[in-house]
């Protein structure tokens, strides 16, 4: 059995509900024959990290090291790992394990995040009861199936947000067949939204960006949007009603906004939720019946989709706009993110 090189992993963990994390270390699980050990160089901050450490979604198991946009170098590999070598630059996203068996209805349909035995990168339990810990740390051990070689043309720091944010927006575009000529709306021009514009545009769609921040107008057009709609301007909003084939909701929109979203859609259009607002949503059923609009959601992407997300980003020069913080300043970075000041994704440098 191959031994790992880092047998006490130091990181920054949330110890109780709140916005702060503090130094903490843990003993990692033994390196399995199909696992790799990664020395982390960069970790992106995701909104899910904040929701988890603040326990806004409930069920956080403390101490919790969050972070699921991980980039680093392979330093050890299990004896049955053949696709990686020490020194390879790899990324890890939201998931670190699934069965990936043909008789699993989720895995066999490229929906391995829904595998009943899946393990997410943090705040999740392995079958042996050990808790998975994430990327705000010096290293991580994962199933090699859930590590991905980073294309050489993508700077590793810019690759980090692609592991979650990029995959989250691109996965439903692939599954639903967004194509040239489609009219795609993006609500919320932040960490997810600014990448959604780029992926949709690269697929050939006409992209309409929706935001209540007029100062993002020029940035959206530069990213590839054909049109920017200031959602506080009634005339601008009225001009796009019944015109969209797809609407990707990347921000925590208020419950009251969803019936408004329906009016933006063309017949048989689809509204796809990518953010997870607190509480429940209520709808006027008649609006769905008369418009034949569907509303659905999307949970990250499986192994094949993550690979395609990275390859597509390389081919079409899709890159996140990032801010750098050293890992030791993670609490300042979390505060900056929580205040909505990040433009548009924060990457921690280890």
């Amino acid at each position: 059995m191959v031994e790992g090189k880092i047998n006490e992993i130091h990181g920054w963990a949330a110890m109780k509900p709140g916005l702060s994390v503090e130094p903490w270390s843990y003993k990692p699980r033994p390196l399995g024959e199909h696992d790799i050990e990664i020395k982390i160089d960069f970790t992106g901050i995701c909104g899910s990290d904040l929701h988890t450490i603040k326990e806004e979604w409930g069920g956080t198991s403390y101490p919790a090291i969050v972070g699921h946009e991980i980039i680093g170098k392979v330093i050890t590999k299990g004896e049955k790992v053949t696709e990686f070598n020490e020194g390879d630059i790899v990324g890890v996203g939201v998931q670190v394990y699934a069965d990936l068996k043909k008789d699993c209805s989720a895995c066999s349909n490229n929906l391995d995040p829904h595998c009943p035995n899946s393990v997410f990168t943090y705040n999740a339990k392995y079958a042996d009861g050990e808790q998975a810990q994430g990327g705000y740390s010096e290293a991580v051990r994962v199933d090699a199936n859930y590590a991905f070689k980073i294309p050489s043309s993508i700077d590793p720091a810019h690759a980090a947000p692609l592991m979650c944010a990029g995959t989250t927006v691109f996965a439903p575009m692939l599954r639903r067949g967004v194509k040239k000529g489609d009219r795609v709306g993006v609500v919320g021009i932040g960490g997810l939204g600014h990448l959604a514009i780029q992926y949709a545009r690269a697929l050939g769609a006409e992209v309409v960006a929706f935001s209540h921040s007029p100062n993002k107008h020029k940035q959206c057009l530069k990213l590839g949007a054909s049109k920017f709609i200031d959602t506080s301007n009634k005339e601008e909003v009225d001009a796009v009603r019944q015109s969209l084939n797809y609407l990707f909701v990347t921000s925590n929109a208020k419950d009251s906004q969803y019936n408004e979203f329906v009016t933006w859609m063309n017949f048989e259009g689809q509204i796809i939720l990518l953010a997870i607002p607190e509480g429940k949503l209520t709808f006027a059923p008649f609006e769905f019946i008369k418009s034949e609009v569907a509303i659905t959601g999307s949970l990250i992407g499986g192994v094949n989709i993550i690979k395609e997300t990275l390859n597509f980003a390389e081919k079409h020069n899709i890159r996140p706009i990032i801010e750098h913080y050293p890992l030791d300043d993670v609490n300042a970075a979390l505060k900056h993110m929580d205040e909505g000041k990040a433009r548009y994704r924060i990457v921690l440098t280890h």
Side-chain angles (χ1 to χ4, degrees), residues 41-62:
D41 295 317
F42 302 100
T43 304
I45 294 181
C46 178
S48 300
D49 300 351
L50 276 68
H51 287 301
T52 300
I53 65 175
K54 294 162 72 175
E55 206 175 17
E56 291 177 337
W57 291 338
T60 301
S61 180
Y62 300 97

Side-chain angles (χ1 to χ4, degrees), residues 159-306:
L162 300 179
M163 301 311 302
C164 174
T167 301
T168 295
V169 301
F170 193 46
M173 295 181 188
L174 287 176
R175 294 188 189 117
R176 288 160 179 80
V178 172
K179 62 187 183 303
K180 184 177 181 179
D182 286 336
R183 204 168 199 216
V184 172
V186 177
V187 174
I189 312 306
L192 294 179
H194 88 289
L195 284 166
I197 291 172
Q198 295 181 68
Y199 275 103
R201 177 60 180 161
L203 286 167
E206 178 187 351
V207 183
V208 183
F210 294 84
S211 176
H212 64 270
S213 302
N215 61 356
K216 295 181 179 178
H217 188 158
K218 290 183 179 179
Q219 184 76 73
C220 288
L221 298 183
K222 186 176 180 181
L223 289 168
S226 302
K227 184 175 290 189
F228 177 89
I229 303 298
D230 178 353
T231 53
S232 65
N233 186 315
K234 185 177 183 300
E235 289 185 5
E236 291 187 17
V237 174
D238 286 345
V240 295
R241 295 195 192 279
Q242 292 188 303
S243 69
L244 303 177
N245 303 108
Y246 301 94
L247 180 66
F248 294 91
V249 183
T250 70
S251 61
N252 292 328
K254 297 178 181 177
D255 177 30
S256 59
Q257 293 178 279
Y258 281 85
N259 286 303
E260 168 73 6
F261 293 164
V262 173
T263 71
W264 302 351
M265 308 305 297
N266 203 345
F267 295 111
E268 297 186 332
Q270 296 184 49
I271 300 172
I272 299 101
L273 276 68
L274 300 180
I276 307 176
E278 294 180 55
K280 296 182 179 181
L281 303 177
T282 56
F283 308 99
F286 185 67
E287 292 296 330
F288 290 93
I289 292 172
K290 75 175 185 179
S291 65
E292 301 196 22
V293 168
I295 185 165
T296 183
S298 179
L299 178 66
I300 57 171
V303 167
N304 293 328
I305 285 179
I306 294 174

Side-chain angles (χ1 to χ4, degrees), residues 29-37 76-79 81 141-144:
R29 300 169 71 247
L31 191 75
E33 58 187 8
H34 297 287
D35 294 343
I36 60 172
E37 184 177 40
T76 319
K77 64 177 187 176
E79 57 230 34
V81 175
R141 296 177 181 179
V142 303
D143 184 313

